[in-house]
Amino acid sequence: MTTERTAVITGATSDRGIGMTVAQRYAREGWAVVILDLDGEKSAKVAADIGNQFAVPAFGHTIDVTSEDSVTAAYDAVAAEVAAGSLPPVGALANIAGITSPVPFLETTLELWNTVMAVNATGTYLVTKAFLPDMIEHGWGRIVNMSSVSAQRGGGVFGKVPYSSAKAAILGFTKALAREIADTGVTVNAVTPGAVDTNIRVGSTPEKEAKLAADIPIGRVASTEEIAAVITFLSSQDAGYLTGTTVDINGGSHIH
């Protein structure tokens, strides 16, 4: 298998997270992968494990997506690997890193609001801005941003006002950037999962999870693999005429 492009995934070290499944799916489809997460040591281990399992080049590095300096350092580390020939050029970026906020609005603080906006929305902005120029230079690229059905429904899943607001910002960011760079060969799309079987819903209970599933027309939450399949499709050659789109993956919980 010839690996021609690298996929960069943020937020990909959680064993039950969407990001790790996305990284594994990219690797299974022949992409080299870069794992970027807060824990640099774990990022390197996850990358090594995926690289060994799927026989593709892989690299892990620390990143704090809320810090421009940290994002720049992560980009520089990846660029050095590309320059050295250890990785092929970056062809896809999956902005997965995020946090939720199951706090009623009147109990939120400005600190919580700023943190949720910084990780979800500002992080997507900073990482995209760092990796986009190289994609434009190569005339080919795929950016997939993680939003949420909460942005479309106004919550109603688990995250509340700050989370829904941040994920809505990502939808506007996706559409505006897609329009601005449409003639460069780089596409920008978003996915809006509903409830997914991950560990992001900290503080939930079996009773809440059962009610959540019962409220979904399909009758269950999504698997991380189902989300990853859409993200890797949007990163494929076949998806080249899709840009500025929002792909709903919610089991019918929001139909519009």
Side-chain angles (χ1 to χ4, degrees):
M1 180 185 296
T2 301
T3 306
E4 297 179 351
R5 295 190 177 97
T6 296
V8 175
I9 308 100
T10 67
T13 62
S14 174
D15 292 337
R16 291 186 60 229
I18 293 172
M20 183 180 291
T21 306
V22 169
Q24 292 167 339
R25 179 100 184 194
Y26 274 122
R28 189 161 72 242
E29 295 184 5
W31 292 74
V33 295
V34 169
I35 307 296
L36 300 178
D37 213 319
L38 272 171
D39 187 334
E41 185 175 331
K42 190 169 184 182
S43 296
K45 182 183 184 306
V46 170
D49 289 346
I50 291 175
N52 291 332
Q53 181 179 357
F54 297 99
V56 297
F59 176 69
H61 198 274
T62 186
I63 194 171
D64 175 355
V65 298
T66 71
S67 163
E68 188 169 18
D69 288 344
S70 179
V71 171
T72 299
Y75 164 78
D76 288 343
V78 174
E81 293 292 311
V82 173
S86 301
L87 292 171
V90 172
L93 168 63
N95 284 304
I96 309 295
I99 58 172
T100 189
S101 62
V103 178
F105 177 69
L106 291 179
E107 296 175 21
T108 61
T109 63
L110 180 58
E111 181 182 12
L112 174 65
W113 171 272
N114 287 340
T115 298
V116 173
M117 291 296 290
V119 174
N120 291 284
T122 304
T124 296
Y125 160 77
L126 287 173
V127 178
T128 300
K129 190 177 180 187
F131 285 93
L132 177 59
D134 288 350
M135 294 185 190
I136 293 176
E137 182 180 342
H138 288 107
W140 199 96
R142 303 284 188 261
I143 297 170
V144 185
N145 297 322
M146 179 64 70
S147 183
S148 170
V149 71
S150 293
Q152 300 164 308
R153 294 181 61 189
V157 179
F158 189 71
K160 293 188 181 292
V161 173
Y163 180 76
S164 298
S165 301
K167 292 302 190 181
I170 289 171
L171 293 181
F173 172 86
T174 297
K175 293 175 183 180
L177 182 59
R179 185 183 297 277
E180 183 174 322
I181 65 171
D183 63 350
T184 67
V186 181
T187 64
V188 191
N189 294 287
V191 294
T192 48
V196 186
D197 184 21
T198 71
N199 55 9
I200 193 172
R201 296 193 300 280
V202 177
S204 189
T205 65
E207 292 76 19
K208 289 179 180 178
E209 293 298 302
K211 184 179 185 304
L212 194 62
D215 289 341
I216 299 170
I218 282 183
R220 62 174 177 83
V221 301
S223 70
T224 56
E225 186 64 38
E226 287 171 314
I227 311 305
V230 177
I231 290 173
T232 53
F233 169 71
L234 290 172
S235 303
S236 70
Q237 187 72 37
D238 289 341
Y241 207 63
L242 290 171
T243 197
T245 65
T246 300
V247 181
D248 299 340
I249 322 169
N250 60 46
S253 64
H254 180 70
I255 298 173
H256 61 103

